[in-house]
């Protein structure tokens, strides 16, 4: 875990709880490993383009080597984002829950990094699609903040949570299966409820900063 890729998805800056909690983990981890390399990729406060027709044509080109210069240009950002994934050992994602899912910038980032031939492969087995993940040995930590309460595993609103469980599925599809989620819940509940949840999340993140081993 000597190289960390940090993805922040909240459009909020200093007021973002998910961002602050993730930065808290990062500080604790960097205190332990000062030589660690950190790469930041902002997806909440900068525009990550949505997939368009040109992107689909280029990304799913049947002969990747025959892509035109303009197709290569259409994939340039995606290539860079995929490169960042391969270059790093730990992926630290901070995200709010937005409308039971994640903010659109994070969705756009995922759409850019799930790439045929780079992060997953597709073959046919007796005509049935088979998918193979192409990333190995990576770990992810998702730090999330929610306005409501009870979206965690086993809790009342679990079935409505399409944020971190979806992210876990998408990361697993490309080979990142070692995924830890830390959530603060109840920003829109009583102040005390949220404060307790934030304190628990901070505590868990400090423990994780001690547990995560450097490669
Ligand atoms: C557009 C929008 C949609 C939201 N949707 C949800 C939601 O579906 N469920 C929920 O619990 N909270 C929801 N919230 C509240 C946020 O998850 C909460 O404020 C969170 O702490 C924001 O994260 P941040 O502090 O990192 O920006 C929403 C907030 C906004 C602005």
């Amino acid at each position: 875990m000597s190289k960390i890729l940090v993805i922040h998805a909240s459009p909020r800056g200093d007021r973002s709880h998910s961002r602050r909690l993730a930065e808290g983990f990062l500080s604790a981890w960097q205190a332990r490993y000062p030589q660690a390399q950190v790469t930041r990729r902002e997806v909440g406060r900068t525009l990550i383009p949505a997939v368009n027709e040109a992107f689909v044509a280029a990304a799913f080109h049947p002969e990747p080597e025959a892509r035109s210069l303009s197709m290569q240009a259409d994939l340039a950002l995606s290539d860079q984002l995929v490169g960042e994934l391969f270059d790093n050992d730990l992926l630290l994602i901070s995200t709010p829950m937005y409308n039971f899912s994640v903010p659109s910038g994070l969705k756009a980032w995922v759409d850019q990094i799930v790439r045929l031939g780079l992060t997953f492969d597709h073959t046919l087995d007796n005509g049935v699609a088979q998918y193979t993940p192409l990333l190995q040995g990576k770990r992810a930590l998702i730090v999330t903040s929610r306005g409501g309460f009870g979206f965690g595993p086993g809790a009342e609103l679990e079935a409505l949570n399409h944020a971190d469980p979806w992210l876990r599925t998408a990361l697993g599809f490309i080979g990142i299966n070692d995924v830890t989620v830390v959530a603060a819940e109840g920003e829109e509940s009583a102040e005390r409820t949220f404060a307790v949840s934030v304190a628990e999340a901070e505590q868990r993140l400090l423990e994780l900063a001690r547990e995560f081993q450097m490669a």
Side-chain angles (χ1 to χ4, degrees):
M1 301 285 148
S2 54
K3 294 172 93 181
I4 295 195
L5 175 60
V6 183
I7 311 273
H8 287 313
S10 176
R12 300 205 287 184
D14 292 345
R15 283 183 296 171
S16 163
H17 298 287
S18 57
R19 195 178 281 268
R20 184 173 42 74
L21 286 166
E23 289 292 330
F25 167 85
L26 192 59
S27 299
W29 200 79
Q30 278 182 302
R32 196 170 155 217
Y33 297 119
Q35 70 277 38
Q37 286 179 41
V38 179
T39 302
R40 291 172 188 280
R41 171 59 67 177
E42 179 65 51
V43 305
R45 289 161 72 81
T46 58
L47 188 68
I48 302 292
V51 161
N52 60 16
E53 184 166 357
F55 178 97
V56 176
F60 294 91
H61 196 290
E63 291 173 74
E65 319 74 43
R67 282 183 189 125
S68 65
L69 286 177
S70 117
M71 283 180 158
Q72 290 173 37
D74 288 328
L75 296 178
L77 174 64
S78 170
D79 288 343
Q80 193 184 343
L81 298 177
V82 168
E84 288 172 358
L85 260 189
F86 273 96
D87 271 358
N88 288 280
D89 312 303
L90 174 63
L91 178 60
L92 172 61
I93 299 177
S94 76
T95 183
M97 172 181 272
Y98 269 11
N99 297 313
F100 309 100
S101 179
V102 298
S104 56
L106 184 55
K107 175 62 165 64
W109 177 81
V110 168
D111 288 344
Q112 296 279 344
I113 54 106
V114 177
R115 275 281 303 280
L116 178 62
L118 294 182
T119 55
F120 78 97
D121 251 338
H122 165 254
T123 51
L124 287 180
D125 183 6
N126 283 328
V128 179
Q130 303 289 325
Y131 300 97
T132 317
L134 295 179
L135 283 165
Q136 282 179 351
K138 312 279 183 202
R139 185 167 192 177
L141 172 59
I142 299 169
V143 180
T144 188
S145 179
R146 308 167 186 141
F149 207 92
F151 290 97
E156 198 182 346
L157 302 180
E158 179 184 12
L160 304 185
N161 181 357
H162 305 284
D164 48 280
W166 163 77
L167 209 39
R168 196 187 275 280
T169 301
L171 293 175
F173 183 71
I174 59 172
I176 305 177
N177 293 299
D178 189 345
V179 179
T180 306
V181 176
V182 175
E185 289 196 305
E187 199 205 346
E188 292 160 359
S189 300
E191 215 172 289
R192 170 89 190 125
T193 308
F194 187 53
V196 168
S197 184
V198 166
E200 284 171 4
E202 283 169 345
Q203 183 57 37
R204 180 71 188 123
L205 289 166
L206 286 179
E207 286 165 16
L208 289 171
R210 283 194 292 270
E211 279 171 27
F212 280 15
Q213 296 298 316
M214 193 148 112

